[in-house]
Amino acid sequence: MKKLLTLFLFIHSVGYATDPYKRNAAIDVQQYLFQLEVNDSTDQISGVARVTIRFKKSITSFDLDLATKNAQGLGMTVSAVMLNGKSISYRHQNDRLTIQLAAASNVNEQLTFEINYGGIPLDGFIIGKNKFGDRGFFGDNWPDRGHHWLPVIDHPSDKARVTFVIIAPHHYSVVANGIKTEETYLNVKQKLTRYEEEVAIPVKVMVVGIARFAVQRAGVVDGIAIESWVYPQNKAEGFSDYATAVQVLDFFHRHIGPYPFKKLANVQSKTRWGGLENAGAIFYAENSVNGKGDHVSLIAHEEAHQWFGNSASENDWHHVWLSEGFATYFANLYLEHAYGHDQLVKEQLADREQVIKYYARNPAPIVDTTLTDINKVLSTNTYQKAGWVLHMLRHELGDALFWKGIQRYYARYQKSNALTDDFRLVMEEVTGRNLKPFFDQWFFRGGHPRLSGTWSYSLSKKELTLDIQQTQKEPFFSFPLDLEYVSKDGLKKTETVQIDSKTSKITLKADFEPSEVKLDPHTWLLFEGQIQKK
Ligand SMILES: [Zn+2]
């Protein structure tokens, strides 16, 4: 997910501020099958969900998330819950569907529950006209809006395989996660389309889109088809703009690890976000298509999520930087690959400015376990600051070890879940270094170094002396600081010094008299401040 298009304030939420998500450790969803029927005369959807659950403990009831009908009549109504062809009892209130088992489950038992339900979704499934006046239906689950139209465990820790069976008016095309395995004209009006995703994915990136589309195969990388799905009126611009996704996929596929899904569709849609990284079917805002090819960074961000977020997923919302920080930095890494290192520097400078501004308003750390409203996990901290921390980690470790660590982290946690410490342990394993101080100061504490310093040069000793202060409140940071000194006639030298305390006095041998000293000349440190001649 890249950009907010609508203020979260307007989104219905189920009151997480007072009711943090309680996960049920006794159940693990293995697979969802959603058979949904949509039509052109009403916004009513009706369907059957088959939810296959493995029981990790013996229990007699469990909850799924499913929005209840509100006073305006928006929301879902359940008409039956079945197990092995028999109705079983359930309660549906306060956005929870509580399913009662006739007998306690056995440990490791796997059962498939069938839920018959329907209604008009309040959110999570956007039904309406696009900018050309054409009707369409677009899933938009991120972060926990899936339960407005699907009975699910609406939390990224419980990933599952998903099949969508969509019955829709036959003039629509259907796109979803996974591979299309069936398309059947049922009668003169309706068509059935079936998609199956065999990799377990979080609900936040499960999706279906039903609309009139122009569809093009933009390219193939290592057997993976990359498709563009755009509004027919935008065909020329859309096919051109989305084609860049082929080079992006190729770069990540070669540098991170094998692309996790069987196809990638890039879809023009009614998502409220600038882009939403739905697994194998990225949805972009409809105005992302303009024929100018100026959304490369957005496309790279959403594609990076296929590895980080969709395949290697954060195990809890407080660690969402494992999605968003990675996607932010990997988009910048793609831009560096495509346009050169100066482009990366430009992006990092812009991001740094944002991080510094954001800190003035909100001094929280990247991993902020005090947050109970999950809508607030989206921030400059989890995007740009976390991206910056990856950038600094790369500088500390060097490119070879950085990439080795990234590849090993992905290989270990692909199709699985991880927390920040899991990532740290992999990076420690690869480097043989204790990275706990680095992770603690950058991910688990707020802020960044604010530096102020003076320098002087002794011609007789040929020594450059620097006095550098960290002026922020404690704690003080430990970091390598690059310094560049430049002479009047253009001689240049870069040195790296280690800063570990509030005050550092450093003396360097310098063969020529500097006219200027620059802190962090190559943009590798998240900091603010400067150094002046004494
Ligand atoms: Zn994102």
Side-chain angles (χ1 to χ4, degrees):
M1 200 282 310
K2 178 69 172 176
K3 279 180 207 139
L4 257 116
L5 286 190
T6 313
L7 279 177
F8 255 128
L9 295 172
F10 299 115
I11 299 171
H12 165 90
S13 101
V14 288
Y16 282 108
T18 52
D19 179 21
Y21 196 96
K22 289 181 194 69
R23 280 184 280 152
N24 186 346
I27 62 169
D28 181 8
V29 180
Q30 303 294 302
Q31 176 146 30
Y32 295 105
L33 182 149
F34 303 114
Q35 178 166 320
L36 294 170
E37 189 170 333
V38 301
N39 69 82
D40 277 342
S41 47
T42 73
D43 291 347
Q44 176 85 20
I45 65 169
S46 60
V48 179
R50 286 194 194 98
V51 185
T52 302
I53 290 174
R54 187 171 71 81
F55 290 87
K56 297 192 278 185
K57 291 180 185 162
S58 178
I59 52 171
T60 53
S61 78
F62 64 93
D63 289 347
L64 294 175
D65 300 296
L66 181 65
T68 32
K69 207 188 240 187
N70 68 11
Q72 289 72 46
L74 302 177
M76 297 294 131
T77 302
V78 174
S79 56
V81 178
M82 319 274 283
L83 178 62
N84 300 323
K86 288 187 190 130
S87 279
I88 59 171
S89 60
Y90 65 91
R91 193 175 66 239
H92 187 205
Q93 57 190 36
N94 300 326
D95 297 337
R96 299 285 161 90
L97 175 64
T98 305
I99 295 177
Q100 200 66 45
L101 299 172
S105 60
N106 296 315
V107 176
N108 283 328
E109 184 177 16
Q110 200 161 295
L111 298 173
T112 298
F113 298 86
E114 191 174 299
I115 298 143
N116 293 271
Y117 73 106
I120 300 173
L122 172 70
D123 194 11
F125 192 60
I126 299 169
I127 304 172
K129 287 184 175 171
N130 69 14
K131 63 177 181 179
F132 296 109
D134 288 345
R135 184 172 167 81
F137 310 73
F138 294 97
D140 204 37
N141 288 355
W142 208 98
D144 66 336
R145 291 150 62 224
H147 69 277
H148 285 290
W149 61 297
L150 304 169
V152 289
I153 299 290
D154 211 350
H155 191 279
S157 60
D158 196 347
K159 309 204 306 185
R161 301 184 302 276
V162 63
T163 294
F164 280 101
V165 180
I166 299 298
I167 296 167
H170 65 54
H171 47 266
Y172 294 123
S173 298
V174 177
V175 65
N177 312 110
I179 288 291
K180 181 154 81 177
T181 55
E182 184 182 349
E183 189 177 69
T184 302
Y185 286 87
L186 299 175
N187 50 52
V188 291
K189 287 184 177 158
Q190 289 176 307
K191 187 172 74 176
L192 177 151
T193 314
R194 182 185 180 101
Y195 275 83
E196 298 180 32
E197 176 52 69
E198 61 189 28
V199 174
I201 54 173
V203 171
K204 63 176 181 164
V205 292
M206 291 180 182
V207 83
V208 60
I210 306 161
R212 289 178 64 230
F213 285 113
V215 184
Q216 184 193 50
R217 178 170 284 206
V220 178
V221 172
D222 219 356
I224 300 142
I226 296 121
E227 305 158 355
S228 305
W229 292 62
V230 299
Y231 301 159
Q233 298 90 333
N234 270 153
K235 177 177 145 166
E237 300 89 345
F239 286 174
S240 162
D241 287 344
Y242 288 176
T244 192
V246 179
Q247 287 88 50
V248 175
L249 192 141
D250 180 60
F251 174 72
F252 291 147
H253 185 71
R254 283 187 289 114
H255 285 80
I256 303 166
Y259 175 76
F261 308 110
K262 289 229 166 112
K263 67 111 187 15
L264 175 64
N266 290 283
V267 185
Q268 188 178 17
S269 79
K270 288 284 288 175
T271 176
R272 73 174 45 182
W273 309 104
L276 210 178
E277 66 266 22
N278 304 304
I282 299 169
F283 279 23
Y284 298 92
E286 49 186 16
N287 288 334
S288 66
V289 169
N290 60 18
K292 294 180 187 158
D294 55 2
H295 286 80
V296 178
S297 172
L298 173 67
I299 289 170
H301 177 106
E302 305 308 340
E303 280 194 63
H305 271 309
Q306 305 305 313
W307 286 261
F308 303 113
N310 298 356
S311 178
S313 308
E314 65 277 15
N315 204 27
D316 211 338
W317 287 115
H318 296 131
H319 299 257
V320 74
W321 81 266
L322 290 167
S323 280
E324 298 302 348
F326 269 82
T328 302
Y329 191 52
F330 278 70
N332 290 354
L333 288 174
Y334 176 73
L335 297 178
E336 180 185 26
H337 162 79
Y339 307 114
H341 187 72
D342 287 354
Q343 186 62 37
L344 173 76
V345 169
K346 213 173 127 190
E347 302 290 333
Q348 295 305 129
L349 283 171
D351 288 354
R352 185 164 74 188
E353 206 171 301
Q354 253 187 284
V355 173
I356 290 167
K357 273 193 201 145
Y358 181 78
Y359 177 71
R361 298 196 314 270
N362 189 340
I366 292 172
V367 179
D368 181 3
T369 52
T370 65
L371 281 179
T372 50
D373 179 352
I374 64 161
N375 288 328
K376 295 202 172 123
V377 301
L378 280 191
S379 71
T380 302
N381 272 349
T382 52
Y383 282 66
Q384 286 82 3
K385 186 177 179 189
W388 245 103
V389 179
L390 288 172
H391 185 59
M392 289 189 287
L393 187 63
R394 171 184 170 194
H395 188 48
E396 285 235 11
L397 307 183
D399 276 11
L401 280 179
F402 174 77
W403 280 106
K404 192 177 169 192
I406 292 295
Q407 287 159 4
R408 190 175 297 184
Y409 166 71
Y410 181 69
R412 189 163 303 163
Y413 291 101
Q414 64 182 323
K415 303 174 188 179
S416 180
N417 291 84
L419 293 173
T420 305
D421 271 353
D422 297 317
F423 175 58
R424 173 176 60 83
L425 290 170
V426 171
M427 297 313 273
E428 288 184 342
E429 197 181 284
V430 163
T431 59
R433 282 176 56 174
N434 172 16
L435 294 170
K436 194 150 190 319
F438 178 95
F439 274 67
D440 281 350
Q441 72 179 5
W442 292 115
F443 287 113
F444 294 94
R445 292 206 302 262
H448 52 266
R450 283 185 167 143
L451 304 180
S452 151
T454 55
W455 63 271
S456 58
Y457 184 71
S458 160
L459 255 180
S460 56
K461 294 186 192 159
K462 288 195 175 296
E463 275 178 2
L464 173 63
T465 304
L466 307 125
D467 269 301
I468 296 172
Q469 311 269 337
Q470 296 195 46
T471 63
Q472 80 278 6
K473 277 200 300 184
E474 280 187 80
F476 302 112
F477 285 76
S478 256
F479 52 92
L481 173 66
D482 296 343
L483 298 158
E484 183 181 73
Y485 53 100
V486 188
S487 76
K488 265 205 280 295
D489 40 4
L491 292 171
K492 256 188 205 180
K493 199 169 176 200
T494 305
E495 299 258 12
T496 304
V497 298
Q498 180 65 28
I499 304 288
D500 291 314
S501 52
K502 179 174 169 57
T503 304
S504 305
K505 192 174 172 102
I506 297 148
T507 303
L508 300 169
K509 279 281 166 210
D511 297 337
F512 57 84
E513 180 173 10
S515 61
E516 193 191 356
V517 177
K518 292 181 200 163
L519 300 179
D520 187 41
H522 306 300
T523 317
W524 285 107
L525 181 67
L526 177 56
F527 83 110
E528 53 188 314
Q530 50 204 322
I531 189 163
Q532 285 164 337
K533 192 170 182 183
K534 204 171 182 173

